[in-house]
Amino acid sequence: MIEHLDGAVIPTGFDVPVEPLRRAAHYTGEPGCIAEARSFASLFLDQLRTEWCASIGPRVEGALLLVVSELVTNADRHSRGPYILELEGTDASVTVAVYDSSAAVPRRFPRDPERVGRHGLEIVHALAQTVTVERVPVGKRVRAVMSLNDA
């Protein structure tokens, strides 16, 4: 980036690529892990506000914490081992990735307000820009990309 000041060209040095903020946490599946994951995500958003000057409103923050809750809850219920929550963000978006030991791909059920339960992936798809699931050597990774620019 170059700034012009009274006709002089002054290099600012801000044209260098910056790495996104990345944090990860490991959970055993013990009671309280889902609340700990939400707290971890909330602290991550605070750090993103500070380090990236990200503007994150209460609605976006609530949506992101709900996505974290849903993905971690699914990992907690359906895997037979620990899981990892990985967050990566900039001032424009946050990627939420959850790794667990189950190779079973989660199912997204059709919308049905009469159904009790099994709405987690439906909620994640409604809130995220993209949702992907891929198998990894130890199980799977579910990844949701969320825009921070939504109202």
Side-chain angles (χ1 to χ4, degrees), residues 21-96:
L21 179 64
R22 291 185 183 96
R23 298 289 179 265
H26 178 269
Y27 299 96
T28 61
E30 298 293 320
C33 284
I34 298 164
E36 287 177 25
R38 276 194 307 271
S39 179
F40 176 77
S42 183
L43 291 172
F44 176 83
L45 292 177
D46 288 343
Q47 193 172 7
L48 201 57
R49 285 181 181 104
T50 301
E51 293 183 21
W52 272 84
C53 299
S55 176
I56 307 166
R59 177 179 241 165
V60 171
E61 181 170 4
L64 193 125
L65 295 178
L66 181 55
V67 166
V68 167
S69 284
E70 292 298 336
L71 293 181
V72 170
T73 297
N74 285 349
D76 192 70
R77 287 187 179 160
H78 301 292
S79 70
R80 294 180 189 239
Y83 44 91
I84 297 169
L85 169 62
E86 185 178 79
L87 301 170
E88 180 179 297
T90 65
D91 59 337
S93 67
V94 171
T95 300
V96 178

Side-chain angles (χ1 to χ4, degrees), residues 1-5 8-16:
M1 177 184 240
I2 295 179
E3 191 173 306
H4 298 276
L5 183 64
V9 177
I10 303 168
T12 62
F14 290 111
D15 55 348
V16 181

Side-chain angles (χ1 to χ4, degrees), residues 63-141:
L64 193 125
L65 295 178
L66 181 55
V67 166
V68 167
S69 284
E70 292 298 336
L71 293 181
V72 170
T73 297
N74 285 349
D76 192 70
R77 287 187 179 160
H78 301 292
S79 70
R80 294 180 189 239
Y83 44 91
I84 297 169
L85 169 62
E86 185 178 79
L87 301 170
E88 180 179 297
T90 65
D91 59 337
S93 67
V94 171
T95 300
V96 178
V98 176
Y99 295 80
D100 68 45
S101 60
S102 170
V105 175
R107 288 183 55 200
R108 181 178 172 198
F109 293 92
R111 188 173 180 190
D112 180 1
E114 305 270 325
R115 183 179 65 247
V116 176
R118 298 184 175 172
H119 293 280
L121 222 52
E122 179 183 342
I123 292 168
V124 171
H125 276 271
L127 296 173
Q129 286 179 307
T130 60
V131 179
T132 57
V133 178
E134 66 179 328
R135 287 195 170 100
V136 295
V138 295
K140 70 175 169 299
R141 174 178 78 164

